[in-house]
């Protein structure tokens, strides 16, 4: 492959022409030297503390140079040379010149323009925080796995560690003769070499960036299954395997069976076959991310891959969405890659958006759009902060790169794509995406390339509207009001700001809006470009307008308070998604001060009675906010709990704790609905009959002869009530079960329940486990977040965090460390603000993405403090006596 085919020529104007010690390339590497091929030979024994390697990088050199910049982090290099086409070699000196992994190679003579092979011999430690090539102990055996996104390939091998550099990789390994090795490409040879070792060689990969290189080594169970059959798009069978640690291979049956149908939907959408030679699905016992889309070798946390038909419906839905997300990356992200990390959203937003469409086609019963709406609402909350990131944020350092992996990139970006699909129509949008993949296959493409593809498919320039959402932060608020006297619908836009926000108000967007108006046969769609606009009503006076048809737009909306009453008369005229849009509008209205607590509660009561189960439970977060944040006296808290329990008491949802009852329900939607309401009644409404039923099932779960009667779909609530109400004996028994289990889903469920203990001694035991290594690295955050949910624990957890922050940062995956700032989100008390800032900032400022996460958490904390103070004064309408259930 020559330099012009790599797809990165558009970046040359952004790259430095050179670099020196005063101007190190901490972002893009300088133009002039480009990788064309990697040959990587590693010796890997996961039982050791280090591994070694030899890499030969074929490069294209633009002009004669004696200096080459690339990446390598904490590598012990013993030899560096350049091999020229005429057979000559030139020795070089390898120096890491920045802690972010920038390396300068200084050669004894200039390397001439043309091609050369740079060879480097090195060794390094296995990663300690689930990054680079790292080792994991599970079941008494050691395993090695990779996690190289975004900038961790440099910890595994010297490289040009940028997404624009897409090259083939040729990998060979020396490993234990009893071990198995999995990589991106198929294995092409395995040769014993003595001393209990073997040489394993893999076919060259198709061109890919460094962050997609994958390797797994250990005594795995490898489950060969039937190849995924050909279909209308793919002519050949696709080899499919599952990989798990020893003893867990039999838990891969469900994941392997369901992967093919999901892949079929994606191939049909792109009208292009899966781009790689094989597909391995790898279950990893300790993994920083949920999953990673390595070409041909996707890695997952065990909980997303080890499941069965009897697994909770929530876990099966999560499997489907995550599998669809990672497989979507095979086209968008892998086959076509962003040139630089400022366009990470192109990968993640697209995979997020498409995963919900795919799951809806693969299994409509999963109802994935509800999860999409939930994640969109979470992104909207973050986007209400003044320091929210833009979707396409400038990236100049590793800190900026890591900070880009957030809900703005994934969920806001996905919601914006959804909005443009609604505006263009699904067929035109799909055609534009297909053309885009065809244009840039095996290359790189940026945001301008994408919207050029979409604009051509639509014969219209979409960039001005896209730019208004991609290149500025913040969230639009659309105001709509019916004015029958003037025979018009008035529209206005502004920036949404919650109570206490310091966000700049001046913002304008070009917003694709679709309105549903009473009496109209179709939604009315337009592009709202100006601060205000009007629509004629043609002599009719509709009773209501819904400003976000199908909940397809990325904006909050507001109508006059009195017009909400009319909207509630719309009934079945509105879709399920549109009723969920109403809930989100109410939530935003309460948070911004537009709606009072009393009017909010009135609408909560109406929505709780909805015919749509998802709408009925969509108000649960609003009720939790009122009970948890606003009810600040025992009497008021019991009053709110009683009123909340009254909304759902007739369901007798406690029956969901029984496995037989839950399985007898007609579909997964009903099972999830009853499970969620049972959890709400037990944990928020504190309904005593529900808690008693949960405790009974918790005790049954620990008895072998009765465990099968317990509903696994509600096990988190059952165990939480058991921990809180079942006494020390229950806690001890559950801790023992947790410590002995290697089932990822059960460990997560049990740990979340144990974290909710209000007993100081139990909390101390759990926190000691986090510090001593008895918890996996990716479990520490779950413990920390769980303990913060209980009021009584928060001051204790904060003091513990202050005393042990260095140890925690060393034990947690680096990508999880910024979540320590979540303590600010939970405390919501002004007395803690300075202490949190002064304690965490010196530490989190040293972690990529940490300081930005802290700033966001502190701003969210300030908003919480101000809004809660304003809303608490409105609770008097609740004060009608204490209700205890």
């Amino acid at each position: 492959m020559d330099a012009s085919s790599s797809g990165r020529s558009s970046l040359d104007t952004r790259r430095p022409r050179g670099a020196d010690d005063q101007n190190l390339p901490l972002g893009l590497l300088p133009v002039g030297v480009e990788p064309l091929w990697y040959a990587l030979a590693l010796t890997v024994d996961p039982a050791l503390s280090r591994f070694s390697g030899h890499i030969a990088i074929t490069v294209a050199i633009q002009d004669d140079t004696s200096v080459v910049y690339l990446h390598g982090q904490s590598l012990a290099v013993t030899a560096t040379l350049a091999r020229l086409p005429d057979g000559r070699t030139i020795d070089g000196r390898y120096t890491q010149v920045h802690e972010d992994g920038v390396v300068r190679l200084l050669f004894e003579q200039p390397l001439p323009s043309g091609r050369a092979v740079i060879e480097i011999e090195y060794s390094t430690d296995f990663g300690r925080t689930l990054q680079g090539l790292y080792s994991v102990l599970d079941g008494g055996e050691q395993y090695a796995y990779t996690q190289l996104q975004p900038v961790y390939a440099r910890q595994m091998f010297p490289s040009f560690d940028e997404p624009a550099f897409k090259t083939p990789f040729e990998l060979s390994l020396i490993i234990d003769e009893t071990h198995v090795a999995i990589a991106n490409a198929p294995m092409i040879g395995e040769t014993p070499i003595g001393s209990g070792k073997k040489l394993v060689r893999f076919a060259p990969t198709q061109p890919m960036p460094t962050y997609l290189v994958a390797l797994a080594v250990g005594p795995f169970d490898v489950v060969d299954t039937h190849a995924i059959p050909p279909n209308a798009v793919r002519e050949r069978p696709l080899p499919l395997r599952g990989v798990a640690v020893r003893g867990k291979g039999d838990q891969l049956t469900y994941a392997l069976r369901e992967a093919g149908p999901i892949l079929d939907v994606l191939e049909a959408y792109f009208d292009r076959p899966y781009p790689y030679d094989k597909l391995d699905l790898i279950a990893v016992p300790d993994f920083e991310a949920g999953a990673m889309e390595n070409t041909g070798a996707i890695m997952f946390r065990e909980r997303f891959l080890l499941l069965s038909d009897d697994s909770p419906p929530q876990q099966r839905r999560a499997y489907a969405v995550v599998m669809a997300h990672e497989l979507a990356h095979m086209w968008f992200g892998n086959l076509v890659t962003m040139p630089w990390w400022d366009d990470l959203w192109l990968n993640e937003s697209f995979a997020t958006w498409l995963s919900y469409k795919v799951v809806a086609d693969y299994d409509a019963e999963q109802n994935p759009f509800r999860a999409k709406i939930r994640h969109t609402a979470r992104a909207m909350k973050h986007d209400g902060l003044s320091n929210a990131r833009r979707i396409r944020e400038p990236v100049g350092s590793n800190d900026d790169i890591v900070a880009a992996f957030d809900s703005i990139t994934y969920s806001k970006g996905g919601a914006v794509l959804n909005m443009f699909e609604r505006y263009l129509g699904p067929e035109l949008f799909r055609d534009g995406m297909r053309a885009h993949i065809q244009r840039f296959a095996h290359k790189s493409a940026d945001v301008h390339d994408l919207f050029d593809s979409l604009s051509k498919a639509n014969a219209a320039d979409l960039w001005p509207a896209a730019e208004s959402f991609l290149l500025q932060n913040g969230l639009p608020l659309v105001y709509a009001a019916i004015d029958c006297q003037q025979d018009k619908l008035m529209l206005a836009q502004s920036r949404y700001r919650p109570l206490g926000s310091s966000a700049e108000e001046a913002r304008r967007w070009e917003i694709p809006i679709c309105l549903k108006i009473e009496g109209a046969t179709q939604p009315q769609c337009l592009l709202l470009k100006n601060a205000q606009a009007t629509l004629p009503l043609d002599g009719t006076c509709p009773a209501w307008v819904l400003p976000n048809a199908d909940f397809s737009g990325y904006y909050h909306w507001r109508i006059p308070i009195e017009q909400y009453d009319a909207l509630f008369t719309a009934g079945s005229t509105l879709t399920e998604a549109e009723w969920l849009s109403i809930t989100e509008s109410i939530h935003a209205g309460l948070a911004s001060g537009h709606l009072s607590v009393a009017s909010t509660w009135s609408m909560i009561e109406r929505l709780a009675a909805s015919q749509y189960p998802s709408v009925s439970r969509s108000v649960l977060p609003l009720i939790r906010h009122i009970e948890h944040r606003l009810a600040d006296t025992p009497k008021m808290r019991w009053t709110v709990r009683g009123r909340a329990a009254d909304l759902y008491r007739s369901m007798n949802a406690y029956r969901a704790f029984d496995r037989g009852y839950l399985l007898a329900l007609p579909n997964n939607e009903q099972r999830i609905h009853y499970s969620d309401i049972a959890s709400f009644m037990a944990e928020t409404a504190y309904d005593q009959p529900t808690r008693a039923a949960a405790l009974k099932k918790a005790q049954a779960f620990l008895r072998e002869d009765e465990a099968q009667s317990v509903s696994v779909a509600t096990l988190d609530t059952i165990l939480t009530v058991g921990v809180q109400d079942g006494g020390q004996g229950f806690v001890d028994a559950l801790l023992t079960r947790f410590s002995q289990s290697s089932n990822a889903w059960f460990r997560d469920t049990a740990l979340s329940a144990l974290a909710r203990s209000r007993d100081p001694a139990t909390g101390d035991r759990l926190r000691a486990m986090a510090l001593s290594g008895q918890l996996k690295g990716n479990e520490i955050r779950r413990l920390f977040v769980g303990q913060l949910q209980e009021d009584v624990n928060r001051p204790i957890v904060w003091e513990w965090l202050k005393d042990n922050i260095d140890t925690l940062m060393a034990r947690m995956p680096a990508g999880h460390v910024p979540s320590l700032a979540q303590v600010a989100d939970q405390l919501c008390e002004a007395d803690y603000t300075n202490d949190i800032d002064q304690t965490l900032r010196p530490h989190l400022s040293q972690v990529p993405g940490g300081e930005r996460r802290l700033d966001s958490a502190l701003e969210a904390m300030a908003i919480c403090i101000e809004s809660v103070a304003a809303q608490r004064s409105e609770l008097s309408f609740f004060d009608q006596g204490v209700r205890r259930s």
Side-chain angles (χ1 to χ4, degrees), residues 414-429:
V416 168
L417 287 174
N418 184 70
M419 178 171 62
F420 277 97
E421 185 204 28
R422 177 69 170 80
Y423 182 66
L424 293 179
E427 291 78 16
L428 282 176
F429 191 84

Side-chain angles (χ1 to χ4, degrees), residues 271-303:
D271 194 28
R272 187 183 184 103
Y274 172 82
Y276 303 102
D277 295 326
K278 54 93 174 176
L279 177 59
D280 289 329
L281 308 178
I282 305 168
V284 185
D286 205 2
F287 200 56
E288 178 181 287
M292 180 61 210
E293 66 269 18
N294 311 304
T295 60
I298 306 175
M299 295 188 185
F300 299 79
R301 281 196 193 181
E302 285 186 337
R303 66 174 293 157

Side-chain angles (χ1 to χ4, degrees), residues 4 22 124 181 224 252 261 296-297 316 416 516 526 587 597 723 730:
S4 64
Q22 286 73 45
T124 189
D224 278 299
L252 288 162
R316 284 182 277 126
V416 168
K516 182 171 277 191
L526 71 152
H587 208 145
V597 179
V723 166
F730 182 89

